[in-house]
Amino acid sequence: MINVPIAFGHNKNCISFENTILNKELCSPGKPSLDLNKLTAKKQLKEMKSDESLPDRCKDIIKNYLPEGATSLDFLADILQVHKRSLQIRLNEQNTSFRRILDAARREKFNSLDVQSMDATQIAKALGFSTTIALEDSRKRWNIT
């Protein structure tokens, strides 16, 4: 129905549409069907994350996309469909920052990995680090050897 690539192996999936696309008329279904579909979609989107704070939602997104490069504010803002400055302001209003959330997401992801069966390069890649040295620096900061 919608021709988009699907990435498996993530805890969460989402499809984002611009408001202009959501307001376009559909060719095949009738207007009552379209209205019902819009209402259902809005209700489901509202319920999906209504109980989760912005920092928690950001942390979840980062954890799911660390190997794909979710280590930048630009990447996160793009996924959330907000301007990066707006995201910075909203995070600052909640007494946090992208760097703090990224560090917390990496630490949680590290704790969920089977590090005994992985070498340092695999762990670094899974956590979105460019080098194993950066991984080791974080492990020291987290008091994990």
Side-chain angles (χ1 to χ4, degrees), residues 89-107:
I89 290 168
R90 289 175 61 193
L91 291 174
N92 190 41
E93 288 170 352
Q94 297 188 24
N95 298 318
T96 192
S97 67
F98 173 76
R99 286 283 157 215
R100 285 187 196 146
I101 294 170
L102 174 61
D103 193 56
R106 282 177 163 159
R107 185 173 185 166

Side-chain angles (χ1 to χ4, degrees), residues 32-124:
S33 176
L34 175 63
D35 291 341
L36 178 62
N37 288 342
K38 278 185 179 179
L39 182 64
T40 304
K42 285 180 182 179
K43 182 181 174 187
Q44 288 175 341
L45 287 171
K46 187 176 182 180
E47 290 172 357
M48 274 174 44
K49 291 291 181 181
S50 61
D51 63 335
E52 190 174 36
S53 70
L54 178 63
D56 289 339
R57 187 169 31 163
C58 291
K59 186 169 52 172
D60 288 344
I61 291 168
I62 291 169
K63 281 193 306 189
N64 290 331
Y65 289 97
L66 277 171
E68 288 88 5
T71 58
S72 74
L73 182 64
D74 290 329
F75 185 93
L76 182 60
D78 188 47
I79 287 181
L80 291 171
Q81 296 292 300
V82 296
H83 191 274
K84 72 177 187 176
R85 185 66 187 130
S86 297
L87 180 57
Q88 284 176 319
I89 290 168
R90 289 175 61 193
L91 291 174
N92 190 41
E93 288 170 352
Q94 297 188 24
N95 298 318
T96 192
S97 67
F98 173 76
R99 286 283 157 215
R100 285 187 196 146
I101 294 170
L102 174 61
D103 193 56
R106 282 177 163 159
R107 185 173 185 166
E108 284 183 21
K109 181 82 173 190
F110 177 84
N111 290 334
S112 71
L113 292 175
D114 181 15
V115 293
Q116 304 300 343
S117 65
M118 301 170 76
D119 65 33
T121 305
Q122 291 171 316
I123 297 169

